Amino acid sequence: MQQGYCHPLSPNGRTSVVESPPWHYGADILFVSFRADEAEVRKLLPEPLQPGKDPGLAFAWIADIISCGADPDLIYKHPESSQYKEGLLAVSCEFKGTPGWLYPYVWVDQDFSLMRGWFLGFPKKSAKVFMTRIHEQNPILPQLGVGTSISGFVERYGTRPMAASLAITGRADREELPNIGNTYNIRHFPNVPGSTTPSIYDIVNIQPKNSRFGDIWKGDATLTFGGADDEEVRALQPKEIIAGYYYQVGWSNDIDATVVHTFL
Amino acid sequence: MQQGYCHPLSPNGRTSVVESPPWHYGADILFVSFRADEAEVRKLLPEPLQPGKDPGLAFAWIADIISCGADPDLIYKHPESSQYKEGLLAVSCEFKGTPGWLYPYVWVDQDFSLMRGWFLGFPKKSAKVFMTRIHEQNPILPQLGVGTSISGFVERYGTRPMAASLAITGRADREELPNIGNTYNIRHFPNVPGSTTPSIYDIVNIQPKNSRFGDIWKGDATLTFGGADDEEVRALQPKEIIAGYYYQVGWSNDIDATVVHTFL
Amino acid sequence: MQQGYCHPLSPNGRTSVVESPPWHYGADILFVSFRADEAEVRKLLPEPLQPGKDPGLAFAWIADIISCGADPDLIYKHPESSQYKEGLLAVSCEFKGTPGWLYPYVWVDQDFSLMRGWFLGFPKKSAKVFMTRIHEQNPILPQLGVGTSISGFVERYGTRPMAASLAITGRADREELPNIGNTYNIRHFPNVPGSTTPSIYDIVNIQPKNSRFGDIWKGDATLTFGGADDEEVRALQPKEIIAGYYYQVGWSNDIDATVVHTFL
Amino acid sequence: MQQGYCHPLSPNGRTSVVESPPWHYGADILFVSFRADEAEVRKLLPEPLQPGKDPGLAFAWIADIISCGADPDLIYKHPESSQYKEGLLAVSCEFKGTPGWLYPYVWVDQDFSLMRGWFLGFPKKSAKVFMTRIHEQNPILPQLGVGTSISGFVERYGTRPMAASLAITGRADREELPNIGNTYNIRHFPNVPGSTTPSIYDIVNIQPKNSRFGDIWKGDATLTFGGADDEEVRALQPKEIIAGYYYQVGWSNDIDATVVHTFL
């Protein structure tokens, strides 16, 4: 009998593209909150999801992430499977009066993260992601801080679906960061060809745990969406940049995921 | 309301990572049929799948594929989304007395093929795939034919999960090729963290249509499985090479996919 | 003592990134001839190179290439080292009254081609290159011919330094193709830090041999240059498209390379 | 007239694949010193280079590097051109009685580093490089220190030319690290086809400056060489592991490079 958390299932269950949850993350994040066109945000929210109190509120990040499952030795045994970079977009929403975020477009550079994302309703595509890194010992680089600029972009087939930058102006407190814990994602998986009803189509609520923050910097941010002509992320071009941050954060995606609505 | 065949769903349905079926394929294939350890093949076949009449019978291919959905202009508008390369392994099986094939391990180099595979129960991982190509106008290359050798391999993180070669000895008829039409794949998709029952877990029967063959060559083949130490494809190392072919083929994955069993 | 055609030199000379010449090529090429701004072309031609009779004349191609050195078995033993894709730009010039072409910007997706290019004065950068491919057996794809469209582009860090397309309108004769044989490239290699004079800086004349042509198609072409803001290929944006072709060609870069001028 | 530090030369000199020196580096390094077969090391040292006092002494590293030229804003304007990873091998040598190191085999994942290496006599090939990274905020990862293990490997076409690991046992002082400053590299660049004498073939002495060290850890190391069958790095398989370190370091490759011998 085949075993494993997910495909590829195998006799000993060791070939799955992702380990079973819980998953633990540590990330360096270039974060930009912004307002998009309210009508465009609304188009991304199927009933019963509703626009949030600030209906055009959205954020994007470029992130450099180290993740693993229950066994922290993954970073040693398979460093290639513990590192990925991500470009992510979130729009604000409400579910039965509770505010949260839905993630309509996400790009990652590794298959384990691509699939793990789909399992949790993050609709990921493959891409390359680049982001400024500073090395403290490089003789002419500044130390991270006021005056330092950070940039990043997502690359997909010769286009940049997302590009962001931040000119750091000071430190920020954790309280200044938007509360991004409560997620309402759409899980979706097509049925076999010939069937018009998806095999999975529901809303999953995810509440990350164990959040830990390192340094938090704020500054002046830019954010643009691009990509191929038919990439609909273009409709969410920022109308107003609210704030920008660069910070280190850790969290766990533990067992608190719940299907709160099904469309089937 | 979001639209689209699959994630990412979007207002106009144009961002899905794969177009909706039917899908049409044209491929150059380095094909090796072989016998693997019968006990190991059996481990890959969950009830009610049974070993086939020749219980260790298996095949592998390395393929260079041009695929599209209903719109053939994809190859012009998005060439990057119409080309991929694949390493694939199949083991023989029976479902209620009908012979077929199950595909336990597959590697591809593009996200659209990765996801399309999962939709159809092909448990794909990302990899790079390399295979000999000949160009008729290269002044010192032989024309494809007797005496020509072809090789290919799958690359994943500095390992070669699959490597194959063929020294062409002659032409073959279509009838010599194994009948690989009837597929019994396992569709599997995990549930949200905290739930131990998968969201999808069934057997899907796929019968490709419109098969068309170009040149078919046969020859002396080699095949080896490798990859990281924990890749279980290693257990299927060929005990006997049966035959090797290099051929061009086209087919469609039309609406004939049917869920024939559910494990849930 | 170390041996080999080029670095990495090694005791047995088998680790060189490229084999020694001659090199043999077979290519599928999307070719667009055009006129660029004459003043911009002139800026690319150091004395004693002069503008050609048609001073803004230029061409670009996107190519899918199979190449090898003296041993054609490379395509079997190391398929990964015999295949590359290329975006290339040429501007017309004259050297002492003899017309030829200089290649100011070229992108390739493999290190062996990158270095081989530098050895011959092709100033290559790394990139990914995508181009339409048709598979004859794909059930819904047209056969290559009138009405078929081909496109291609160069990808570098989320930008497209070059993109081209062709809508095929008919067959063409070999005589219609521009004569692209005679090349005047600039070989350049910096000296060690602290020295302002390059170690190599000359003009090399290359005359490919053994040209062989397969099918040649012509049609209506487009061509655009892009890339990062500081990519100077942007200055050569086509002012007029002259012609477009898609064809198969083979050639050898044999021993006919000659340094015809040195700047040192 | 074309301008620029190196190819591609261009009217404004902004398209060169690498900026002009000086270059500044900051790196996280997994370092393993070892003894290789003395006869094999000797084969890598052309006269007048001689084996060192400890003739089989060698070291290898896997490194994650942030580098730039004179403008530190590169990390912001073009993060994609300031980051690379490297696998590197060094063998000890002497030049006229002065001890130093020669680097016979190096792999990097970016073209700017590939070319910059060739300019300085580092015979680089393209590869992917993976190495353990720890994120301090990941909830279940250990903080870097005693008990932490680090691993890394070089990937080239489905093989691992170099793989290393370190189990950290304690802190080390800077004085414990081998002195790796003095480099005797072989610059080599082929002549045009038809000429058997290289255009460049000499020994360059490089003395990095501004070395700065961050944390230095030591531990129990492993190191293996692999790669394709014809990769001659295999001949240098460690006979004895001497020591292993993981540390942060910065340095500059300033104007102190000197050609100390020519083979032409």
Side-chain angles (χ1 to χ4, degrees):
Chain A
M1 186 64 188
Q2 290 181 306
Q3 299 185 66
Y5 169 64
C6 67
H7 261 323
L9 303 175
S10 61
N12 297 309
R14 293 201 311 240
T15 66
S16 298
V17 71
V18 195
E19 299 168 281
S20 58
W23 302 302
H24 308 282
Y25 306 77
D28 294 344
I29 295 183
L30 168 51
F31 179 103
V32 183
S33 58
F34 68 103
R35 280 193 187 82
D37 185 275
E38 296 181 12
E40 291 296 334
V41 171
R42 185 177 295 260
K43 289 179 188 171
L44 295 166
L45 304 175
E47 291 276 353
L49 292 178
Q50 297 292 332
K53 294 270 183 294
D54 186 349
L57 186 64
F59 73 82
W61 81 31
I62 308 280
D64 190 352
I65 304 175
I66 311 296
S67 76
C68 60
D71 179 8
D73 276 353
L74 181 73
I75 63 169
Y76 162 68
K77 287 187 259 179
H78 288 294
E80 71 281 7
S81 298
S82 66
Q83 303 171 10
Y84 69 104
K85 282 185 274 194
E86 178 177 272
L88 171 146
L89 174 61
V91 296
S92 59
C93 65
E94 276 191 16
F95 178 79
K96 298 185 177 176
T98 304
W101 300 92
L102 174 140
Y103 297 83
Y105 308 119
V106 191
W107 298 266
V108 292
D109 62 2
Q110 288 265 42
D111 62 354
F112 70 85
S113 173
L114 183 79
M115 294 315 310
R116 187 169 58 191
W118 280 62
F119 300 159
L120 293 174
F122 293 94
K124 297 184 176 183
K125 283 184 176 178
S126 291
K128 300 273 275 183
V129 181
F130 299 90
M131 181 168 57
T132 299
R133 287 171 58 203
I134 295 176
H135 197 283
E136 291 191 352
Q137 304 304 332
N138 184 307
I140 69 154
L141 289 186
Q143 301 302 304
L144 187 64
V146 176
T148 307
S149 290
I150 302 286
S151 75
F153 61 89
V154 174
E155 170 193 74
R156 184 167 164 88
Y157 299 133
T159 67
R160 297 190 180 190
M162 179 187 296
S165 73
L166 182 75
I168 294 175
T169 56
R171 287 192 178 273
D173 294 326
R174 179 176 168 177
E175 290 66 36
E176 293 181 51
L177 289 178
N179 183 345
I180 61 170
N182 201 36
T183 295
Y184 294 104
N185 267 349
I186 296 169
R187 289 204 316 156
H188 183 277
F189 198 83
N191 210 328
V192 295
S195 178
T196 54
T197 309
S199 286
I200 303 175
Y201 197 11
D202 55 33
I203 298 174
V204 59
N205 179 227
I206 307 167
Q207 297 180 1
K209 293 165 73 169
N210 302 327
S211 290
R212 303 152 46 138
F213 287 81
D215 286 337
I216 307 176
W217 301 92
K218 63 182 169 188
D220 299 322
T222 68
L223 177 67
T224 54
F225 299 121
D229 291 344
D230 49 7
E231 286 286 355
E232 298 186 45
V233 68
R234 290 168 168 271
L236 297 168
Q237 214 64 253
K239 301 179 87 69
E240 177 196 354
I241 299 292
I242 300 172
Y245 303 94
Y246 179 71
Y247 59 98
Q248 292 192 302
V249 62
W251 73 92
S252 301
N253 276 337
D254 220 320
I255 60 167
D256 286 343
T258 312
V259 173
V260 294
H261 178 81
T262 179
F263 296 103
L264 299 177
Chain B
M1 184 65 188
Q2 290 181 305
Q3 300 184 66
Y5 169 64
C6 68
H7 262 325
L9 303 175
S10 62
N12 297 309
R14 292 202 310 242
T15 65
S16 297
V17 71
V18 195
E19 299 167 281
S20 58
W23 302 302
H24 307 282
Y25 307 78
D28 295 343
I29 295 183
L30 169 52
F31 179 104
V32 183
S33 57
F34 68 102
R35 280 193 188 84
D37 184 276
E38 295 181 13
E40 292 296 334
V41 171
R42 185 177 296 258
K43 290 178 189 171
L44 296 166
L45 304 176
E47 292 276 352
L49 291 178
Q50 297 293 331
K53 293 271 183 293
D54 185 350
L57 186 63
F59 73 83
W61 81 29
I62 307 281
D64 190 352
I65 303 176
I66 311 296
S67 76
C68 61
D71 180 7
D73 276 354
L74 181 73
I75 63 169
Y76 162 69
K77 287 187 260 179
H78 288 295
E80 72 281 7
S81 298
S82 65
Q83 302 170 10
Y84 69 104
K85 282 184 273 194
E86 178 176 273
L88 171 148
L89 174 62
V91 296
S92 58
C93 65
E94 276 191 15
F95 178 78
K96 299 186 177 175
T98 304
W101 300 92
L102 174 141
Y103 297 82
Y105 308 120
V106 191
W107 298 266
V108 293
D109 62 1
Q110 289 265 41
D111 63 352
F112 70 85
S113 174
L114 183 78
M115 295 315 310
R116 187 168 59 192
W118 280 61
F119 300 159
L120 293 174
F122 292 93
K124 297 184 175 183
K125 283 185 175 177
S126 290
K128 301 273 277 182
V129 181
F130 299 89
M131 180 168 59
T132 299
R133 287 172 57 204
I134 296 176
H135 197 284
E136 291 191 352
Q137 303 304 333
N138 184 308
I140 69 154
L141 290 186
Q143 301 302 303
L144 187 64
V146 176
T148 308
S149 289
I150 303 286
S151 76
F153 61 90
V154 174
E155 171 193 72
R156 185 168 163 87
Y157 299 132
T159 67
R160 298 190 179 189
M162 179 187 297
S165 74
L166 182 75
I168 294 176
T169 56
R171 286 192 179 274
D173 295 325
R174 178 175 169 178
E175 289 67 36
E176 293 180 52
L177 288 177
N179 182 345
I180 61 169
N182 200 38
T183 294
Y184 294 104
N185 266 348
I186 295 168
R187 290 203 316 157
H188 183 277
F189 199 84
N191 210 329
V192 294
S195 177
T196 54
T197 310
S199 287
I200 302 175
Y201 196 10
D202 55 33
I203 299 175
V204 59
N205 178 226
I206 306 167
Q207 296 180 2
K209 293 165 72 169
N210 301 327
S211 290
R212 302 152 45 139
F213 287 81
D215 286 336
I216 307 175
W217 302 91
K218 64 183 170 188
D220 299 323
T222 68
L223 176 67
T224 55
F225 299 120
D229 290 346
D230 50 7
E231 286 287 353
E232 298 187 45
V233 67
R234 290 168 169 271
L236 297 168
Q237 213 66 254
K239 301 180 85 72
E240 176 196 356
I241 300 292
I242 300 173
Y245 302 93
Y246 180 72
Y247 59 97
Q248 293 191 302
V249 63
W251 73 93
S252 301
N253 277 336
D254 220 320
I255 60 168
D256 286 343
T258 311
V259 172
V260 294
H261 179 81
T262 180
F263 296 103
L264 299 177
Chain C
M1 184 65 188
Q2 290 181 306
Q3 300 184 64
Y5 169 65
C6 67
H7 262 325
L9 303 175
S10 61
N12 296 308
R14 293 201 312 243
T15 66
S16 297
V17 71
V18 195
E19 299 167 280
S20 58
W23 302 302
H24 307 282
Y25 306 78
D28 295 343
I29 295 182
L30 169 51
F31 179 103
V32 183
S33 57
F34 67 103
R35 280 193 187 83
D37 184 275
E38 295 181 12
E40 292 296 334
V41 170
R42 185 176 297 258
K43 289 179 189 171
L44 295 166
L45 304 176
E47 291 276 353
L49 291 178
Q50 297 292 333
K53 293 272 184 292
D54 185 350
L57 186 63
F59 73 82
W61 82 30
I62 307 280
D64 190 352
I65 304 176
I66 310 297
S67 76
C68 61
D71 180 6
D73 276 354
L74 182 73
I75 64 169
Y76 162 69
K77 286 187 260 180
H78 288 295
E80 71 281 6
S81 298
S82 65
Q83 303 170 10
Y84 68 105
K85 282 185 274 194
E86 178 177 272
L88 171 147
L89 174 61
V91 296
S92 59
C93 65
E94 275 191 17
F95 178 79
K96 299 186 177 175
T98 304
W101 301 92
L102 174 140
Y103 297 82
Y105 307 120
V106 191
W107 298 266
V108 292
D109 62 2
Q110 289 265 42
D111 63 353
F112 70 85
S113 174
L114 183 80
M115 295 315 310
R116 188 168 59 190
W118 280 62
F119 300 159
L120 294 174
F122 292 93
K124 297 183 175 184
K125 283 185 174 177
S126 291
K128 300 271 277 182
V129 181
F130 300 89
M131 180 168 57
T132 299
R133 286 171 59 203
I134 296 176
H135 198 283
E136 292 191 352
Q137 304 304 333
N138 184 307
I140 69 154
L141 289 186
Q143 301 301 305
L144 187 64
V146 176
T148 308
S149 290
I150 302 287
S151 75
F153 62 89
V154 174
E155 171 193 73
R156 184 168 163 88
Y157 298 133
T159 67
R160 297 190 180 191
M162 179 186 298
S165 73
L166 182 75
I168 294 175
T169 57
R171 287 192 178 272
D173 294 326
R174 178 175 170 179
E175 289 67 35
E176 292 180 53
L177 289 177
N179 182 346
I180 61 169
N182 200 38
T183 294
Y184 293 104
N185 267 348
I186 295 169
R187 290 203 316 156
H188 183 277
F189 198 84
N191 209 328
V192 294
S195 177
T196 54
T197 310
S199 287
I200 303 175
Y201 196 10
D202 56 33
I203 299 175
V204 59
N205 179 227
I206 306 167
Q207 296 180 1
K209 292 164 73 168
N210 302 326
S211 290
R212 302 152 46 139
F213 286 82
D215 287 336
I216 306 175
W217 301 92
K218 63 183 170 189
D220 299 323
T222 68
L223 177 68
T224 55
F225 299 122
D229 291 345
D230 50 7
E231 286 287 353
E232 297 186 46
V233 67
R234 289 168 169 272
L236 297 169
Q237 213 64 253
K239 301 180 86 70
E240 177 196 355
I241 299 292
I242 300 173
Y245 302 94
Y246 180 72
Y247 59 96
Q248 292 191 301
V249 62
W251 73 92
S252 300
N253 276 337
D254 220 321
I255 59 168
D256 286 343
T258 311
V259 172
V260 294
H261 179 80
T262 179
F263 296 103
L264 300 177
Chain D
M1 185 64 188
Q2 290 180 306
Q3 299 184 66
Y5 168 64
C6 67
H7 262 324
L9 304 174
S10 61
N12 297 309
R14 293 202 312 244
T15 65
S16 297
V17 71
V18 195
E19 299 167 281
S20 58
W23 301 302
H24 307 282
Y25 306 78
D28 294 343
I29 294 183
L30 169 52
F31 179 104
V32 184
S33 57
F34 67 102
R35 281 194 187 84
D37 184 276
E38 296 182 12
E40 291 296 333
V41 170
R42 185 176 296 260
K43 289 179 189 172
L44 295 167
L45 304 176
E47 292 276 351
L49 291 178
Q50 297 292 332
K53 293 271 183 296
D54 186 349
L57 186 63
F59 73 82
W61 81 30
I62 307 281
D64 190 353
I65 304 175
I66 311 297
S67 75
C68 61
D71 180 7
D73 276 354
L74 181 74
I75 64 169
Y76 162 68
K77 288 187 260 179
H78 288 294
E80 71 281 6
S81 298
S82 66
Q83 302 170 10
Y84 68 105
K85 282 184 275 193
E86 178 176 272
L88 171 147
L89 174 61
V91 296
S92 59
C93 64
E94 275 191 17
F95 178 79
K96 298 184 177 175
T98 304
W101 300 92
L102 174 139
Y103 297 82
Y105 308 119
V106 191
W107 298 265
V108 292
D109 63 1
Q110 288 265 41
D111 62 353
F112 70 85
S113 173
L114 183 79
M115 294 316 310
R116 186 168 60 191
W118 281 61
F119 301 159
L120 294 174
F122 293 93
K124 296 184 176 184
K125 284 184 174 178
S126 291
K128 301 273 275 183
V129 181
F130 299 89
M131 181 168 57
T132 299
R133 287 172 58 204
I134 295 176
H135 197 284
E136 291 191 352
Q137 303 304 332
N138 184 308
I140 68 155
L141 290 186
Q143 301 302 304
L144 187 63
V146 175
T148 307
S149 290
I150 302 286
S151 75
F153 62 89
V154 174
E155 171 194 73
R156 184 167 163 88
Y157 299 132
T159 67
R160 298 190 180 190
M162 179 187 296
S165 74
L166 182 75
I168 294 176
T169 57
R171 287 191 179 274
D173 294 326
R174 178 175 168 177
E175 290 66 37
E176 293 181 51
L177 288 178
N179 183 346
I180 61 170
N182 201 37
T183 295
Y184 294 104
N185 266 349
I186 296 169
R187 288 203 316 156
H188 183 277
F189 198 83
N191 210 328
V192 294
S195 178
T196 54
T197 309
S199 287
I200 303 174
Y201 196 10
D202 55 33
I203 298 175
V204 59
N205 179 227
I206 306 166
Q207 296 180 1
K209 293 165 72 170
N210 301 327
S211 290
R212 303 152 45 139
F213 286 81
D215 287 337
I216 306 175
W217 301 92
K218 63 184 170 187
D220 299 322
T222 67
L223 176 68
T224 54
F225 300 121
D229 291 345
D230 49 8
E231 286 288 353
E232 298 187 44
V233 68
R234 290 168 168 271
L236 297 168
Q237 214 64 254
K239 299 179 88 69
E240 176 195 355
I241 299 292
I242 299 173
Y245 302 94
Y246 180 72
Y247 59 99
Q248 292 192 300
V249 63
W251 73 93
S252 300
N253 276 337
D254 220 322
I255 60 167
D256 285 343
T258 312
V259 173
V260 294
H261 179 80
T262 178
F263 296 103
L264 299 178

